[in-house]
Each structure stands twice: as structure tokens, then as C-alpha cells.
Amino acid sequence: MPIVPLAQELDPLVLSQWQFGLTTVYHFLFVPITLGMVWLTAGFQTAWVRTGNVEHLRLTHFFGKLFLINFAIGVATGIVQEFQFGMNWSDYSRFIGDVFGAPLAFEGLIAFFFEATFIGLWIFGWNRLSPKVHLLTIYMTALGTMASAYFILAANAFMQNPVGFVINEDRQRAELTDIGAVLANPVALASFPHTMFASVMVAGAVMVGVSAWHLKRGQHTGMMHRSLRVGLWSVVGGGMLTFITGDMVSLAMVAAQPMKMAAAEALYDTASGYDASFSLFSLGTPDGEHEIFSVRVPYLLALLSTHDPLGTVEGINDLQAEYTALWGEADYTPIIWVTYWSFRWMMGLGFLSFGIALVGLWLTRKGRVDLPRWVWTVAIWSLPLPLLGMTVGWIFTEMGRQPWLVFSQMRTEDGVSPGVTGAEVLTSLIAFTLIYGILGVIEFRLMQRAAQRGPADAPELDETGRPAQPVTVY
């Protein structure tokens, strides 16, 4: 068996892709928890301000601490992302930075400073601001996180569906012509609500898992039953809206990148109506080009792609021929097995979490907590399901765009930094893997300790309704 040359083993393009995938997926683990948990924390604080029930205040502090821990680690891991564009993907930055950098600048200069300011006021304002003014700070923080998410999604949407630019032939780079078009990209408009509602599912599942851990041990039963129900309803409500907005994303994807939908179904030949079926499970040859066995739902792929059960869905072979005519000889198909299975795992994990939450709502109705221990065990282990589903969905979104960095404008192989060697990328990849591994252990231990410690004792309130003693939520 021939030995692969070391130079090929240390291909900077492949290593840069692995590094970007590692850092992006790792950072993304914190994003949906932050986006969803801030709203659930705000909900508990609102209930306290409206009712004066101190148990709601205790739950606010409890889940607010989990939110803050996650937010801090998420910020630390997110900083690395933007540096990579200049270090490992400098040709990409030179070509598209004028457009891609605009929404990222908005995110850093507007959204991040907005949320950082109000999160500081929320942390340190418990004994200094009136309850209603202090409540406003957590909602401003939540709006800041939403704005931050939108600007980042708008930047990513440009990579999926480039709009609002022209190519300067003399300078060989893209130049921004319409920031409104970039920010109102149809892909971003569809992806944003889908991401937000899925994040509510994730935060709800965290709340369910933490509450179930305490209920399994008979601790804080009144409060934990309340937070359990809030978490279950968040998973169910967020899940329903995630499924609905997922349909919007599907339509936007077909309009912008029909190859991605074809790859998601491993559909090689254009099909219509009955033949445009969706496979719930499929086995094929190792190259993925021929089906051996599958369980299919007729018309479903046509319905998902066009909203017409008799609609036509373009196949991989026809799109490959079309793209070859447009952009020259190359392989324009993503890795089929990755897109096929990530699409199904994304949906499968979401539906599984949704189903568990529905059963949980039925079992815990009317204040019931006297349930078998295995019920709480299932609830605890259901905690990561929506997060895993979102993570796999993100992998599908990015891998399904390949071989493009910016669809129709720049291939991935053309965006890597020309002056970076494979050994340099490998060194940073190993370093980031070790650092992120350490951060992962720290995050898990901090979250575990805070979750297992449970809500703090009820604070004494003064005549204005503010805590009489300094409150620590960090």
C-alpha cells in the first residue's frame, strides 16, 4: 500500500476546513442556550414583578446564573471565529470582506455592545434599580441577543444566497451596493425565526432536564414542578413554531440552492408528484449513487420543496449539468451521505424531543410529581436532544453549500490563505482542540454545580420590592 506524502496529509485547505468546523460547531453549542434561556429567565422575572411571588424570584436567579455561565463561555469561543477569516481564509476575506464584513460589523459595534451594556445593568442592578426598571434590562439583553443573532445569520445568508453586491473586475473583489438587500436576504428572513424558536426548544429542554434532576431526588418540588412545566411548554410551543418556520427555510433553500435540497434527499434524477418522495430511511451503495432499500412517503419531497404535491424537484444530475454549463467543469455536489443523514437527524431529534415533552405535559398535569424514577431519568437524558438537532442542522446548512464558500461566486478551495502551511494550521488546530476541550470541561462543571446546587433561599425584600441584601447571580 503506497505511503501518502506528508505534504498531502498536511493539506492546509483540508486542515483549515476541519479547524473552522471544530471552532464553529463548538461555539454554536452555546448560542441556542443563550438565545432561549434569556427569554425564559425574563419570563420568571416578569412573573415575580407581576405577582410578588418570591419563588419566581428564586427561579429567576437560578436559571439566570445558568444563562450567565453559558453566555460568558459563548463570548470567549465566539471571538475566535472572526479572526479565522483573516488568518486561514484571507483570499475569501479579500474577495468578499467588503460585503460579508458589514453585518458582522453591525453585530460587533451595535448588537454586542447593546447586550453587554444591559447584561451588566441586570447583573449589578438588583439592589440599585426599581423592580420594573430592572426587569427592562433583561428584556433589553434579550433583544440584544436577538439582534446579534440576526446580523450573524445575515452574514451567513450572504454565503448561501449572495445579494446586494457587484463584482469589481479591476480589483477582482465583491463590493457592497445595497446593505438593505444583504440584511433583508430571504434566507436570513427565513432562518432567523427558525433559529430563535429552535433555541427556545433548547432552553426549554435544559430547564426540563435540570428540574427533573431535582424532582427525581425530591428537592424543591414546588418550584421545580413549576419550572419543569415551563420547560415542557417551551419545548412543545417552540417545537411547533420550529417546524412551521422550517418550512419557510426549506422554500428559501430550494429557491437559492436547489442542489442542497436534492442532496438532502439523495435525489439524482429530477422527479415530480408521486416520484418526488421523501425517504424516512434509506440504504444505498457506498458511493451513494444507487438505492438498495428505502422507506418512502410519496409526494412529500415535492410538498416540502414547492408546496405542491405534484410539484417538480430538480435532481443532482440535472443540476450538475446546469452548473457545469454555467461555471465550468467541476464537481458541484456536496458530500451526499453527510447532507442526507444530517437532514434526517436534525428532524428526528427535534420530533423526538417534541414527543417526550408532550408526554411529560400529560404525566405532570395537576401538579403531579409522584412519578416513577425512570420518568425523571428519561427527562434528564432528553436535555441534549434539541441542541444536538440544531447542531446537526447547522452542519447540514454549511456542508450542503459545498463546494462553495459563497454560492456561485467563490469555491471553498479558492478562499484559503495562500501563505499558510499545513503544519501551521495543524498546530493551531491541535491548540484550539486542547483549549476548547478544557473550556468544555470548565463549562460543564460550572453548569453542573450551579444546576445541582438548586435555587438559593428566598431573599428578604425592602419596602420598594427590591432585595434588601446584595444579590449575586454570577
Side-chain angles (χ1 to χ4, degrees), residues 383-401:
L383 187 156
L385 295 180
L387 180 58
L388 291 174
M390 279 196 77
T391 303
V392 174
W394 188 250
I395 291 172
F396 166 74
T397 298
E398 297 305 290
M399 292 294 288
R401 188 183 65 245

Side-chain angles (χ1 to χ4, degrees), residues 85 92 96 99-100 103-104 149-165 180-192 195 249 252-253 255-257 260 394 397-398 401 405-409:
F85 292 118
Y92 167 81
I96 217 73
V99 186
F100 183 77
L104 291 184
Y150 187 83
F151 287 131
I152 292 172
L153 287 171
N156 181 263
F158 178 82
M159 299 170 74
Q160 315 288 342
N161 179 41
V163 294
F165 74 104
V182 173
L183 295 179
N185 193 318
V187 174
L189 294 176
S191 299
F192 176 68
T195 301
V249 174
M253 178 174 66
Q257 296 172 290
K260 186 184 291 186
W394 188 250
T397 298
E398 297 305 290
R401 188 183 65 245
L405 265 179
V406 181
F407 182 74
S408 77
Q409 300 298 318

Side-chain angles (χ1 to χ4, degrees), residues 105-418:
F106 285 150
E107 190 275 332
L109 297 175
I110 299 175
F112 179 74
F113 280 103
F114 183 88
E115 65 180 316
T117 298
F118 282 102
I119 203 171
L121 290 171
W122 187 73
I123 292 172
F124 299 108
W126 281 98
N127 307 98
R128 297 172 176 84
L129 302 173
S130 70
K132 290 184 178 179
V133 172
H134 187 261
L135 175 63
L136 181 63
T137 64
I138 189 66
Y139 278 104
M140 291 296 101
T141 301
L143 290 175
T145 61
M146 288 179 62
S148 182
Y150 187 83
F151 287 131
I152 292 172
L153 287 171
N156 181 263
F158 178 82
M159 299 170 74
Q160 315 288 342
N161 179 41
V163 294
F165 74 104
V166 294
I167 299 295
N168 186 320
E169 297 293 347
D170 294 332
R171 303 178 66 184
Q172 288 296 298
R173 65 192 299 265
E175 295 183 349
L176 180 67
T177 59
D178 188 351
I179 185 61
V182 173
L183 295 179
N185 193 318
V187 174
L189 294 176
S191 299
F192 176 68
H194 186 61
T195 301
M196 289 305 305
F197 292 130
S199 297
V200 171
M201 279 189 78
V202 170
V206 171
M207 193 169 286
V208 168
V210 171
S211 302
W213 190 89
H214 287 281
L215 290 169
K216 185 177 181 179
R217 290 157 178 79
Q219 301 171 171
H220 315 288
T221 54
M223 280 189 296
M224 289 297 104
H225 182 269
R226 181 178 288 112
S227 61
L228 176 79
R229 296 284 293 182
V230 170
L232 290 170
W233 276 114
S234 298
V235 174
V236 170
M240 293 177 64
L241 293 169
T242 299
F243 304 149
I244 293 171
T245 54
D247 179 65
M248 297 165 51
V249 174
S250 177
L251 293 178
M253 178 174 66
V254 171
Q257 296 172 290
M259 179 65 85
K260 186 184 291 186
M261 178 56 86
E265 180 51 33
L267 181 71
Y268 280 87
D269 298 314
T270 299
S272 303
Y274 180 92
D275 294 327
S277 58
F278 184 86
S279 58
L280 301 178
F281 179 81
S282 181
L283 292 175
T285 57
D287 61 9
E289 295 189 11
H290 301 285
E291 182 181 289
I292 298 174
F293 169 80
S294 67
V295 178
R296 294 187 163 276
V297 180
Y299 303 104
L300 184 56
L301 182 63
L303 187 63
L304 291 174
S305 301
T306 66
H307 275 191
D308 180 1
L310 301 178
T312 298
V313 182
E314 293 181 278
I316 293 171
N317 292 332
D318 294 313
L319 289 168
Q320 171 66 29
E322 178 185 334
Y323 292 171
T324 298
L326 286 172
W327 302 305
E329 287 290 338
D331 183 2
Y332 295 99
T333 62
I335 302 174
I336 302 301
W337 69 268
V338 172
T339 51
Y340 179 90
W341 285 111
S342 59
F343 191 61
R344 278 148 185 79
W345 276 103
M346 172 187 67
M347 294 190 296
L349 290 166
F351 279 115
L352 179 59
S353 179
F354 180 81
I356 291 173
L358 277 179
V359 174
L361 283 173
W362 173 256
L363 292 176
T364 59
R365 68 194 186 282
K366 298 180 180 179
R368 287 190 61 191
V369 294
D370 56 332
L371 298 172
R373 290 176 63 84
W374 67 264
V375 172
W376 303 125
T377 300
V378 171
I380 293 168
W381 283 100
S382 71
L383 187 156
L385 295 180
L387 180 58
L388 291 174
M390 279 196 77
T391 303
V392 174
W394 188 250
I395 291 172
F396 166 74
T397 298
E398 297 305 290
M399 292 294 288
R401 188 183 65 245
Q402 299 304 311
W404 300 100
L405 265 179
V406 181
F407 182 74
S408 77
Q409 300 298 318
M410 171 175 268
R411 297 176 192 171
T412 303
E413 61 190 30
D414 298 325
V416 71
S417 299

